[in-house]
Amino acid sequence: MTKRERILVTGASGQIGTVLVQELRSIYGIDQVIESDIKHPGNSDGPFVGLDILNAQRLGEIVDDFEITQIYHLAAILSASGEWNPMKTWNVNLNGYLSILELAKEKRIDKIFYPSTIAVFGKTTPRQNTPQHTAMLPETIYGISKQSGELLSNYYNQKYGVDVRSLRYPGIIGYQSIPSGGTTDYAVEIFHYALKEQKYTCFLAADTTLPMIYMPDAIRATIELMEAPSDSIQVRTSYNLSGVSFSPEEIAAEITKHIPEFTIDYEPDFRQKIAESWTATIDDTMAREQWKWKEEYDLARITEDMLVHLRGIL
Ligand code: NAD
Ligand code: AKB
């Protein structure tokens, strides 16, 4: 059954957007979900509009022309790329988001999804079982911009009643694309190299444990959060969300169970420092209690599923 929503997805051509759009279209109908990005998606099966999120006037026109009711705001510059151009990253990640919050304040849209990230944490944050409400001193411009976005979400909700919902995504693992610009990207790249070359040089050190989540769990969490009754959503900054935590040596060991000849070596680069400033495991009790979140994929299941799908693609 289709619902009478009209959804705009910004940053729709990226790693999450290409999968999220398909899922939203299966729920709401192809023409009800409008993709937008500065780059064209490879193989879109529905409406796409070119949109630089910094063009607030064009954003407003699209919202009015398509009678948009919800925005999933994915457009952003990620942690590693962000360090090459901090001013642009701040501008895209924060000012782009402000235009959307303003549209919601003017009641031109009903609901917003804002993806935050484990990059909002820093070295003052407890590394294990990171609490929902905790010390945060992010060290990347990406983390700073996303944490500021969380605070703006809460502000617009408290002051203007904007229905904004948000998740602090861990690193997302999926077979649908090879991510770029992030610090957790190694956990996808490793599968491609394992299948094509049976070896991988990792840009993080062997024991760097980070929180991760499999794409189907991330997409399901997003839609479950957006469909939860408004009064169950107690956190309007962003919810901690946990899937699975592992290090490069642990995922390599899991891959070796399927590809015994696979080998890994380690050449940590500037992304090691970023990873070390993040946390290792996440306490997402509030998401579990308030809108009944539960992940389905552990490391063994992720590895098996990634290899099955990539064997069919590569
Ligand atoms: P991605 O880099 O794959 O996609 C981002 C998209 O935004 C790209 O298609 C890019 O073209 C677009 N974009 C960049 N600048 C733009 C602009 N000025 N105007 C319009 N579009 C622009 O990123 P992703 O992995 O798909 O992430 C989507 C969202 O989820 C981001 O907000 C990111 O911070 C968040 N997130 C992702 C992860 C992850 O592991 N993938 C983890 C935590 C949070
Ligand atoms: C990145 O590594 O920048 C992203 C993220 C965890 O936000 N994958």
Side-chain angles (χ1 to χ4, degrees), residues 273-286:
K273 185 166 174 284
I274 297 176
E276 281 172 11
S277 75
W278 296 351
T279 62
T281 59
I282 303 286
D283 176 357
D284 61 358
T285 306
M286 288 197 182

Side-chain angles (χ1 to χ4, degrees), residues 78-80 117-119 142 169-172 181-185 278:
L78 303 196
S79 59
T117 163
I118 52 167
Y142 172 64
Y169 285 139
I172 296 179
T183 302
T184 58
D185 296 354
W278 296 351

Side-chain angles (χ1 to χ4, degrees), residues 10-18 36-40 50-55 73-79 81 88 91-93 113-119 142 146 167-173 177-182 184-185 212-213 215:
T10 73
S13 306
Q15 186 198 3
I16 300 173
T18 46
S36 73
D37 203 296
I38 46 172
K39 64 176 188 218
H40 198 278
L51 172 67
D52 184 333
I53 198 60
L54 294 175
N55 189 340
H73 176 48
L74 305 183
I77 297 172
L78 303 196
S79 59
S81 300
K88 182 177 172 193
N91 206 14
V92 169
N93 292 6
F113 175 74
Y114 175 71
S116 188
T117 163
I118 52 167
Y142 172 64
K146 286 286 180 176
L167 297 171
R168 289 177 183 146
Y169 285 139
I172 296 179
I173 301 169
S177 60
I178 305 183
S180 67
T184 58
D185 296 354
M212 302 279 183
I213 192 167
M215 185 68 86

Side-chain angles (χ1 to χ4, degrees), residues 228-292:
S230 186
D231 58 5
S232 68
I233 311 295
Q234 307 287 310
V235 175
R236 294 292 183 164
T237 48
S238 189
Y239 278 99
N240 274 9
L241 185 78
S242 172
V244 55
S245 287
F246 58 79
S247 63
E249 63 192 353
E250 287 168 331
I251 193 173
E254 200 59 44
I255 291 172
T256 308
K257 291 180 189 168
H258 300 263
I259 307 174
E261 60 277 30
F262 176 65
T263 59
I264 184 166
D265 57 11
Y266 301 93
E267 288 178 12
D269 65 15
F270 73 102
R271 289 168 281 194
Q272 180 64 28
K273 185 166 174 284
I274 297 176
E276 281 172 11
S277 75
W278 296 351
T279 62
T281 59
I282 303 286
D283 176 357
D284 61 358
T285 306
M286 288 197 182
R288 287 170 198 269
E289 287 180 355
Q290 293 175 15
W291 47 276
K292 312 297 171 220

Side-chain angles (χ1 to χ4, degrees), residues 140-161:
T140 59
I141 192 67
Y142 172 64
I144 294 167
S145 65
K146 286 286 180 176
Q147 195 202 351
S148 305
E150 288 191 6
L151 296 175
L152 284 172
S153 302
N154 193 55
Y155 180 80
Y156 273 74
N157 173 263
Q158 300 293 313
K159 197 167 168 87
Y160 305 115

